[in-house]
């Protein structure tokens, strides 16, 4: 067996320990290349000699074993039990704008409900002409649509209100994902039952043991909401509400009720637990905002970031990140290398769709000095991503939700990255 | 079900010998103690895993042995060391779960009275591995067989009712027209102006089975009543193990009481009494989702009683005789109702100012780090019980 000269450290800790040795290995292998050459080239590798698995060995394909570290992770001390908890999308390992189904962050209030699609029913009742029950097969007979949207938990970055807290963009920003949904317009389903003129609000309820409920204004329900049964081309994952969930584009993730079983039309909001005790934003004055549905304009640099340090030393490098806004498209993303003193406009690449993630890149030559990386998104409504200090000045430190402040990553001379706050 | 049948038989015999010699354990009394485990554990015929594994045949069972249940790494490790649940080990675990097994995910404070521990073990020992009762031999008191059987029957019906509730759609499908084949009537209604002619009409019983929501104006409240005193009994049995005797919470489970006057503090405590705007939310939420691990198991009267008790724990009513009912429900206001405002983010200075953002020389001086990430390594393996200084996830 041959050895790959520079094995990739699998964790940040391993990197910290092996950082210097790794840099030395780079230099050595560059020197060695001039003499004899890398064995991965000069020797025939196993995979180039022996055939691998045939078809059907992996009927549902999985990522390469070398990618086994790319998984969702939780922060166990945040919650008392994984049944009502959250884990985070590994943003630092992903590229493009689509999140793979198995990596979309999870937030459950009573664990993953395992629903038999044959036993799935969606009920529409309340202020309607005729209360109706739909099977999954019925839902699929409405005209279908495909839409790419981000879904962000309103508590994403919520741990960072008081200052830098968690060291990794998976943990500071990983309660967001973006997939292509296939589903039907909520409007069609509601019109099938016939919404009465006094029907101004909709209560959506899930079938899991938390029976999650949220009140949604009818205007939004009839505008762009969907009932989705597929993500990225395949059936929804159980963690994401199989067999059907609500899609509420641009609005906080908690409203996208999973395992959707019931839609009640009413003339007032319900003020349920998830819109009173939770998902209300306490201000310094002691007042609390409620019904803060829209997810604000936001961005983060995903690499480099604490879990994705610079391993290649100085010279040419690619900085990349994500930007999104519940108000529509992202117009522009600016990047600063010096902690917000000077800004350069980054390059958005890939589709630019309303209420979807946008991928940006900024390429430059790193001179090996300290970097204070920041990104700032501007959306199509002209709203500019604020700083964390601006948000704290306006709201105090106890709002929990809707923290879209500008993130700072400090890169030291070794390429190690840390979550910091700066002057 | 158990991976270690032989261990089980041997240990069960050992236990029976122990119980008959001690002679003081009372399985019937143990059944009452079990109310404190019920939120997380099931026992009896058809018992399934809940928050914790099912406890059929647990006395004599190897620890961490229920296949398909995801134990904590700590429990798995202990299981690997060959821990078997017998009277001594159960006694120590139930007395102080985290003391006995550091890292166990059983979020239970422990049973303080030795008698209660002896009784619960006697009660659990009456259940065979398949959930059937072996009451005759295992009931040392001997004269309680009848009570035991009745108790078991009760547990079974509760279980069955719970299950029926979880799958109303299937029950409904039997009685109602099949939804996946549009009936003549739904096709006809298609021509009544419905666009696609999909779905079928919901029956009144179906709507009633699922329509459990309550609004601040009282819409949705069921018939019923319950007092503070009655609520305390249910609370102590079914809620206190997580939320604490006074709603102060055990560990990281949610706090339910206190915190009045703290909303402008450095560390506000948001509870029903200090934060929630409407009482209807308490009734609605407890009925739909609590106790955690056994949702929809409370009667409407129990939920009235619990709601009354939560008002009492929050000093909103002071009288233990106070009775909450559908009739007087909307007369009660929570103190913080007036402090909720609509979304006015757009008026914040940074959003209201629509000028072009600065591109160069935007700030004086070189950046200086004012704060480092508090938690340097958040990977699961080394983050046990660290204190967060930031906000929570929700």
């Amino acid at each position: 067996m041959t050895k790959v000269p520079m094995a990739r450290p699998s964790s940040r800790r391993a990197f910290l320990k092996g950082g210097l040795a790794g840099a030395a290995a780079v230099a050595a292998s560059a020197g060695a290349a001039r003499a004899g050459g890398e064995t991965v080239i000069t020797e025939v590798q196993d995979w180039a000699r022996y055939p691998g698995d045939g078809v059907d060995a992996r009927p549902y394909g999985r990522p390469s074993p070398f990618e086994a570290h790319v998984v969702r992770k939780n922060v166990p001390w945040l919650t008392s039990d994984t049944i009502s908890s959250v884990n985070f999308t590994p943003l630092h390992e992903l590229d493009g704008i689509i999140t793979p189904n198995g990596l979309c962050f999870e937030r459950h209030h009573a664990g993953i409900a395992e629903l038999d699609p044959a036993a799935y029913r969606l009920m529409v009742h309340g202020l309607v002409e005729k209360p109706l029950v739909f099977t999954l097969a019925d839902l699929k007979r409405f005209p279908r649509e495909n839409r790419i949207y981000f879904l962000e938990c309103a508590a994403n970055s919520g741990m960072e209100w008081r200052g830098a807290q968690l060291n990794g963009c998976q943990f500071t920003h990983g309660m967001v994902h973006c997939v292509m949904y296939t589903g039907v317009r909520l409007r069609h389903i509601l019109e099938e039952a016939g919404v009465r003129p006094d029907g101004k609000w909709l209560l959506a309820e899930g079938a899991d043991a938390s029976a999650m409920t949220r009140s949604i204004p009818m205007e939004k329900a009839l505008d762009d909401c969907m009932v989705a049964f597929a993500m990225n081309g395949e059936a929804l994952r159980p963690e994401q509400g199989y067999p059907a969930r609500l899609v509420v584009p641009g609005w906080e993730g908690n409203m996208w009720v999973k395992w959707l079983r019931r839609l009640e039309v009413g003339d007032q909001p319900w003020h349920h637990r998830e819109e009173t005790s939770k998902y209300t934003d306490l201000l310094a004055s002691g007042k609390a905002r409620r019904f803060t549905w829209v997810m604000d304009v936001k961005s983060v640099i995903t690499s480099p970031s604490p879990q994705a340090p610079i391993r290649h030393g100085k010279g040419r490098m690619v900085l990349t990140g994500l930007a999104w806004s519940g108000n529509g498209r992202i117009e522009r993303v600016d990047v600063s290398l010096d902690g917000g003193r000077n800004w350069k406009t980054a390059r958005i690449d890939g589709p630019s769709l309303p209420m979807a993630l946008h991928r940006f890149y900024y390429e430059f030559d790193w001179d090996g000095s300290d970097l204070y990386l920041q990104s700032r998104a501007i959306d199509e409504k002209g709203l500019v991503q604020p700083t964390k200090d601006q948000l704290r000045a306006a709201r105090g430190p106890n709002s929990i939700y809707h923290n879209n402040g500008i993130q700072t990553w400090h890169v030291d001379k070794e390429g190690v990255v840390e979550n910091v706050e700066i002057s | 079900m158990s991976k270690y049948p032989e261990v089980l038989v041997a240990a069960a015999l050992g236990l029976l010998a122990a119980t008959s010699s001690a002679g003081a354990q009372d399985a019937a009394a143990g059944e009452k103690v079990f109310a404190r485990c019920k939120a997380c554990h099931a026992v009896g015929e058809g018992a399934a895993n809940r928050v914790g594994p099912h406890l059929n045949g647990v006395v004599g069972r190897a620890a961490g042995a229920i296949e398909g249940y995801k134990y904590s790494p700590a429990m798995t490790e202990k299981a690997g060391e060959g821990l078997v649940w017998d009277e001594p080990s159960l006694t120590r675990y139930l007395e102080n779960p985290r003391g006995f097994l550091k890292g166990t995910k059983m979020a239970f404070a422990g049973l303080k009275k030795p008698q209660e521990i002896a009784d619960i073990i006697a009660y659990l020992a009456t259940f065979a591995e398949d959930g059937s009762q072996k009451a005759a031999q295992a009931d040392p008191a001997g004269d309680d067989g009848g009570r035991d059987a009745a108790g078991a029957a009760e547990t079974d019906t509760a279980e069955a009712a719970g299950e029926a509730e979880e799958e109303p759609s299937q029950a409904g499908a039997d009685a109602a027209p099949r939804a996946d084949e549009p009936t003549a009537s739904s096709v006809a209604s298609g021509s009544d102006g419905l666009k696609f002619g999909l779905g079928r009409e919901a029956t009144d019983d179906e709507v009633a089975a699922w329509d459990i929501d309550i609004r601040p104006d009282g819409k949705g409240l069921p018939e019923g009543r319950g007092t503070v005193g009655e609520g305390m009994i249910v609370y102590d049995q079914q809620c206190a193990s997580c939320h604490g005797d006074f709603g102060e919470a055990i560990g990281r489970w949610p706090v339910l009481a206190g915190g009045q006057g703290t909303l402008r503090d450095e560390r506000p405590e948001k509870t029903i009494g200090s934060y929630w705007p409407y009482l209807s939310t308490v009734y609605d939420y407890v009925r739909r989702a609590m106790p955690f691990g056994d949702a929809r198991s409370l009667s409407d009267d129990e939920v009235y009683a619990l709601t009354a008790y939560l008002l009492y724990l929050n000093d909103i009513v002071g009288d233990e005789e106070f009775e909450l009912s559908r009739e007087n429900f909307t007369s009660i206001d929570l103190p913080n109702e007036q402090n909720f405002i609509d979304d006015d983010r757009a008026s914040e200075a940074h959003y209201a100012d629509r000028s072009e953002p600065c591109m160069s020389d935007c700030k004086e001086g070189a950046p200086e780090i004012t704060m480092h990430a508090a938690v340097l390594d958040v990977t699961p393996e080394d983050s046990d019980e660290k204190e967060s200084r930031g906000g929570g996830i929700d």
Side-chain angles (χ1 to χ4, degrees):
Chain A
M1 264 300 288
T2 50
K3 252 209 184 136
V4 182
M6 195 179 59
R8 229 174 136 212
S10 63
S11 75
R12 176 166 178 274
R13 238 168 330 148
F15 172 78
L16 285 175
K17 287 192 206 112
L20 284 173
V26 177
S29 71
R34 271 189 299 278
E38 287 187 291
T39 53
V40 291
I41 295 172
T42 59
E43 290 176 15
V44 177
Q45 305 294 307
D46 284 355
W47 59 79
R49 184 180 308 247
Y50 308 113
D53 283 348
V55 297
D56 289 352
R58 306 168 197 192
Y60 193 104
R62 294 170 53 94
S64 156
F66 297 101
E67 299 295 319
H69 58 289
V70 184
V71 289
R72 302 181 282 221
K73 283 185 182 162
N74 87 12
V75 177
W77 48 261
L78 274 180
T79 52
S80 40
D81 197 304
T82 54
I83 288 170
S84 174
S85 192
V86 62
N87 62 16
F88 302 87
T89 309
L91 297 178
H92 60 293
E93 292 279 0
L94 303 180
D95 217 323
I97 65 164
I98 297 292
T99 317
N101 286 341
L103 295 178
C104 293
F105 80 94
E106 302 171 74
R107 171 67 170 120
H108 315 306
H109 291 258
I112 302 167
E114 299 280 2
L115 250 85
D116 174 357
Y120 176 82
R121 299 290 183 277
L122 175 63
M123 184 185 291
V124 183
H125 71 110
L127 298 177
V128 294
E129 302 303 333
K130 188 181 198 179
L132 291 178
V133 170
F134 299 98
T135 63
L136 192 62
D138 292 337
L139 291 183
K140 292 182 175 175
R141 293 166 69 194
F142 286 98
R144 295 183 209 174
E145 295 184 355
N146 294 290
R147 293 285 183 280
I148 296 175
Y149 293 122
F150 77 79
L151 181 165
E152 185 186 17
C153 176
N156 198 19
S157 314
M159 282 84 72
E160 304 290 309
W161 272 103
R162 283 171 192 279
Q165 168 86 357
L166 300 175
N167 214 27
C169 81
Q170 177 168 21
F171 304 105
T172 56
H173 289 77
M175 282 196 260
V176 66
H177 60 65
C178 182
V179 304
M180 182 168 76
Y181 295 97
T182 305
V184 301
R185 279 283 164 130
L186 181 56
R187 170 182 214 117
H188 289 322
I189 294 171
L190 291 173
E191 283 175 353
E192 198 74 5
V195 176
R196 300 225 297 254
D198 47 348
K200 297 293 179 219
W201 288 84
L202 186 67
L203 185 78
E205 181 181 81
D208 64 323
S210 77
M212 172 67 57
T213 44
R214 284 297 298 254
S215 305
I216 299 168
M218 190 56 74
E219 220 180 14
K220 177 73 173 175
L222 295 177
D223 178 19
D224 57 3
C225 291
M226 297 167 73
V227 174
F229 38 79
M231 57 196 286
N232 292 336
E234 63 178 358
L236 291 181
R237 291 291 169 91
E239 308 94 287
Q240 307 298 339
Y242 178 87
R245 85 174 307 164
L246 200 58
V247 170
V248 190
W251 287 20
E252 56 190 22
N254 182 260
M255 306 177 81
W256 300 46
V257 174
K258 300 191 282 190
W259 310 289
L260 181 70
R261 78 159 171 217
R262 188 164 72 95
L263 296 165
E264 179 174 356
V265 178
D267 58 355
Q268 297 168 26
W270 279 260
H271 296 284
H272 276 181
R273 185 242 188 181
E274 303 289 325
E275 49 206 16
T276 55
S277 169
K278 307 295 170 192
Y279 301 99
T280 48
D281 316 344
L282 181 60
L283 305 175
S285 61
K287 302 261 178 203
R289 291 187 179 129
R290 68 177 161 209
F291 299 144
T292 47
W293 298 307
V294 176
M295 296 310 298
D296 295 305
V297 58
K298 187 164 177 177
S299 70
V300 66
I301 293 168
T302 55
S303 176
S305 66
Q307 297 156 290
I310 306 176
R311 304 172 198 273
H312 52 55
K314 37 176 138 166
R316 199 62 186 162
M317 69 168 289
V318 174
L319 175 157
T320 185
L322 292 166
W324 62 96
S325 168
N327 298 312
R329 289 184 176 77
I330 290 294
E331 189 69 40
R332 190 176 103 204
V333 181
D334 298 329
V335 166
S336 173
L337 308 184
D338 58 5
R341 274 73 190 157
N342 297 285
W343 296 86
K344 292 274 191 287
T345 296
R347 183 168 64 81
I348 291 176
D349 191 77
S352 169
L353 301 166
M355 297 170 286
L357 292 186
H358 289 58
R359 172 63 60 178
F360 66 86
Y361 298 96
Y362 180 70
E363 293 90 359
F364 67 104
D365 287 316
W366 182 38
D367 61 7
S369 62
D370 284 24
L371 300 172
Y372 297 87
L373 302 178
Q374 296 186 338
S375 64
R376 173 177 75 189
I378 300 155
D379 71 22
E380 67 175 71
K381 297 268 164 60
L383 291 169
V384 181
Q385 183 179 2
T387 65
K388 290 183 186 174
D389 285 337
Q390 286 173 323
L391 287 175
R392 283 190 283 254
R395 304 177 194 174
N398 288 312
S399 267
I400 299 179
Y401 307 101
H402 297 287
N403 182 353
N404 62 324
I406 290 175
Q407 174 67 46
T408 310
W409 304 130
H410 170 234
V411 182
D412 74 9
K413 297 178 178 64
E414 315 275 282
V416 173
V417 186
E418 194 189 1
N419 173 12
V420 298
E421 300 233 355
I422 55 169
S423 59
Chain B
M1 224 167 278
S2 165
K3 280 187 282 188
Y4 310 96
E6 59 286 340
V7 178
L8 186 143
V9 172
L13 289 174
L15 175 96
L16 289 181
T19 29
S20 34
S21 64
Q25 296 86 352
D26 182 346
E31 189 192 338
K32 295 205 189 79
V33 182
F34 190 69
R36 304 185 47 189
C37 326
K38 243 162 92 174
C40 305
H41 292 288
V43 72
E45 231 137 84
N49 297 331
R50 289 187 179 161
V51 176
H54 77 72
L55 294 180
N56 286 338
V58 70
V59 180
R61 188 167 94 189
I66 297 303
E67 265 169 286
Y69 179 80
K70 203 158 171 283
Y71 290 93
S72 60
M75 182 69 84
T76 310
E77 199 187 311
K78 262 279 190 282
E81 289 167 24
L83 175 69
V84 172
W85 292 123
D86 54 12
E87 197 176 16
S89 61
L90 275 173
T91 303
R92 290 176 57 209
Y93 186 49
L94 295 178
E95 197 171 71
N96 182 357
R98 290 196 161 143
F100 176 67
L101 188 55
K102 189 175 177 307
T104 181
K105 65 174 187 172
M106 172 152 110
F108 178 65
L111 293 169
K112 293 296 161 254
K113 297 191 188 125
Q115 187 62 47
E116 287 183 338
I117 298 183
D119 291 345
I120 184 92
I121 296 175
Y123 172 67
L124 291 172
T126 65
F127 291 92
E129 218 184 324
D130 61 3
S132 64
Q133 287 229 297
K134 23 178 198 173
Q137 317 95 291
D139 178 7
D143 55 7
D144 269 345
R147 263 167 74 198
D148 248 19
E154 224 170 82
T155 318
D156 284 356
T157 18
E159 220 98 73
E163 251 156 49
E165 215 144 46
E166 263 156 30
E167 294 174 292
S169 60
Q170 281 186 329
D174 294 337
R178 277 195 48 141
D180 43 2
E181 293 161 33
T183 55
S185 76
S186 72
V187 172
S189 61
S191 58
D192 285 340
L194 293 183
K195 278 189 182 151
F196 301 98
L198 293 169
R200 61 154 176 90
E201 194 158 355
T203 71
D204 292 347
D205 286 350
E206 287 173 334
V207 173
W210 276 7
D211 182 5
I212 53 166
D213 49 82
I214 320 286
R215 269 188 347 197
D217 62 358
K219 184 175 174 293
L221 280 171
E223 198 45 61
R225 64 205 60 255
T227 66
V228 168
E230 289 159 0
M232 185 177 81
I233 295 169
V234 185
Y235 182 91
D236 285 349
Q237 290 185 344
Q238 302 208 41
C239 321
S241 63
C242 295
H243 294 295
D245 287 344
F246 307 101
E248 78 285 9
I250 311 264
R252 284 176 190 276
W253 303 101
V255 178
L256 300 184
Q260 274 91 336
T262 66
L263 295 184
R264 305 219 304 265
D265 290 1
E266 178 66 17
R267 296 285 166 183
E269 189 154 73
K270 297 189 278 182
T271 71
I272 293 167
S274 70
Y275 192 65
W276 292 34
Y278 303 110
L279 187 62
S280 56
T281 314
V282 180
Y283 194 103
D284 176 89
Y285 183 70
V286 171
R287 177 158 78 154
R288 76 173 51 247
M290 288 292 131
F292 191 61
D294 196 15
R296 304 292 307 277
S297 60
L298 298 165
S299 72
D300 292 342
D301 284 347
E302 284 175 322
V303 182
Y304 276 110
L306 283 164
T307 308
Y309 187 58
L310 287 167
L311 286 172
Y312 179 81
L313 287 179
N314 278 288
D315 298 324
I316 294 164
V317 301
D319 179 3
E320 288 184 27
E321 307 294 305
F322 172 78
E323 183 183 77
L324 187 66
S325 65
R326 177 155 85 172
E327 287 65 40
N328 67 0
F329 197 97
T330 54
S331 69
I332 293 173
D333 293 327
L334 295 185
N336 197 44
E337 176 179 345
Q338 299 313 321
N339 283 323
F340 284 83
I341 56 170
D342 285 331
D343 188 354
D344 60 352
R345 280 175 289 175
S347 68
E348 291 175 343
H350 48 266
Y351 288 136
D353 165 28
R354 294 302 180 88
S355 58
E356 265 297 299
C358 171
M359 291 302 282
S360 56
D361 300 324
C362 308
K363 275 178 149 186
E364 299 273 304
E368 266 185 49
I369 296 178
T370 54
M371 190 182 259
H372 295 266
V375 184
L376 276 179
D377 199 331
V378 275
T379 51
E381 63 268 27
D382 39 47
S383 51
D384 50 346
E385 305 292 323
K386 259 179 207 143
E387 273 302 316
S388 140
R389 73 169 179 223
I393 50 159
D394 62 357

